[in-house]
Amino acid sequence: MSPQSYNEGIQYLELMFRQMSAATDTVRRLFIVPQPAYDSYIRANSHLLEANPYADLLYLETQTPLEGKGSTLFMPYYGAMYEAGALTPLSKTKVVLIGANPHTKTVAEAMQGFTDGFAADHIVPDHSLDEKELKTVYLSEQADGGFSISDTTAMRLMDGWEADEMELLVPVCDGAYNTFNRLNNALMWPFSMVGIDIDDEAYYYKPFSAVKHIDRAVALCIGQWLSDEGMPKHQTLGLASGYTEVVMHSEWWTYEEETDEAVFSAIHEEAIRKEAEHEK
């Protein structure tokens, strides 16, 4: 189910909780919710599934376990985004970091990770005398806003960034990412871009992608659900476990291969440490 609005999403949730809690057969049902915008509703109603021993819930992208029935999964993005930020000066030095809004926790942590990595002094670009410059932009100040953007608004922003001679866009804004990506391609790529959440190597001018392997994580959870032990009440899968990572597109790098390996390895190990510290 892909609701077109928050209210439609609540209607879907009401329907699924009602049907799953009332079912009297022995069919096993797992309801997966990957959207933190519905957090308060899920926490207030997950106990309803206790009426059906064959019904279960998997709620993604939260650090806080459910008090009622159901399991939670968190995929921290701080480490992968830290690594992306630290690697960026190898490709570009004038960067626009675009967030949906400052209130969504997953967005805020991804933005902070990239900012911290970009500020670290791992790499002195050998292809440019420019100092590093990071411009941070939020598309909305509303708690659930900024995940979509009109072409007109996106074009206005991109025109301004091009006038400022910015080089790379890092859009941490879900559906709005697709708008920036599509327009950038249509305009013959005035910017490089970092792929967010998925590996975007198929599109032009992507030096690397910061990837969340949500498909692998969900497959793991379904396997656990089908097992005798069931799903853990809560689990965290991040950079150290390989469920998030930076996928580099080698044609964009200018360092020698031996230097690449040493630099990339050092940054990756530090990003793992930084994520562990951040999670504490």
Side-chain angles (χ1 to χ4, degrees):
M1 298 177 174
S2 298
Q4 299 302 307
S5 67
Y6 176 82
N7 289 335
E8 186 176 31
I10 291 295
Q11 292 175 7
Y12 286 164
L13 288 168
E14 290 174 343
L15 174 65
M16 293 303 296
F17 275 109
R18 184 168 63 250
Q19 290 182 343
M20 291 176 67
S21 62
T24 57
D25 54 36
T26 59
V27 175
R28 296 186 64 181
R29 294 175 172 88
L30 175 63
F31 186 31
I32 303 175
V33 182
Q35 176 51 268
Y38 305 113
D39 185 84
S40 58
Y41 182 89
I42 291 168
R43 294 187 184 281
N45 291 277
S46 63
H47 69 280
L48 297 174
L49 298 182
E50 294 168 0
N52 182 354
Y54 301 100
D56 210 343
L57 170 70
L58 173 60
Y59 176 32
L60 307 185
E61 296 295 61
T62 177
Q63 293 172 294
T64 307
L66 295 169
E67 292 186 5
K69 190 173 184 179
S71 296
T72 49
L73 168 68
F74 181 60
M75 299 180 70
Y77 211 21
Y78 180 92
M81 291 298 288
Y82 180 97
E83 186 171 345
L87 286 168
T88 289
L90 259 180
S91 175
K92 301 294 180 182
T93 56
K94 301 186 71 173
V95 180
V96 185
L97 178 61
I98 310 162
N101 67 75
H103 307 291
T104 299
K105 187 174 181 62
T106 51
V107 172
E109 292 195 338
M111 300 279 283
Q112 188 63 56
F114 187 92
T115 300
D116 293 346
F118 189 77
D121 293 324
H122 293 285
I123 297 169
V124 177
D126 65 349
H127 66 284
S128 173
L129 298 177
D130 295 339
E131 293 185 2
K132 294 187 293 186
E133 179 182 351
L134 181 64
K135 182 191 294 289
T136 300
V137 177
Y138 286 102
L139 301 180
S140 174
E141 289 299 323
Q142 302 301 314
D144 298 314
F147 293 104
S148 62
I149 189 172
S150 69
D151 284 10
T152 303
T153 302
M155 281 291 297
R156 176 176 54 79
L157 290 170
M158 293 170 74
D159 285 344
W161 298 331
E162 189 173 12
D164 291 339
E165 300 183 341
M166 306 307 287
E167 300 171 319
L168 178 74
L169 305 185
V170 186
V172 188
C173 43
D174 200 14
Y177 169 94
N178 297 322
T179 303
F180 287 118
N181 195 37
R182 173 172 50 79
L183 292 175
N184 196 47
N185 292 345
L187 295 170
M188 300 301 291
W189 320 290
F191 305 101
S192 296
M193 289 182 65
V194 171
I196 299 296
D197 289 344
I198 62 171
D199 183 8
D200 236 356
E201 186 176 15
Y203 292 91
Y204 294 100
Y205 291 86
K206 297 291 195 308
F208 51 81
S209 297
V211 179
K212 278 191 175 185
H213 294 292
I214 296 176
D215 53 345
R216 296 183 195 171
V218 170
L220 171 70
C221 291
I222 292 174
Q224 293 169 336
W225 175 66
L226 292 170
S227 71
D228 293 338
E229 294 78 16
M231 289 184 293
K233 187 66 176 173
H234 180 78
Q235 54 191 324
T236 298
L237 301 171
L239 189 64
S241 58
Y243 282 87
T244 67
E245 67 171 328
V246 172
V247 178
M248 294 177 289
H249 307 149
S250 59
E251 65 272 18
W252 290 101
W253 303 111
T254 57
Y255 272 29
E256 298 295 330
E257 183 176 352
E258 294 81 3
T259 309
D260 283 347
E261 292 177 359
V263 171
F264 296 163
S265 177
I267 291 175
H268 180 68
E269 292 304 316
E270 178 164 358
I272 291 175
R273 291 194 299 271
K274 291 290 187 179
E275 182 165 89
E277 292 171 4
H278 182 77
E279 290 305 301
K280 287 180 181 178

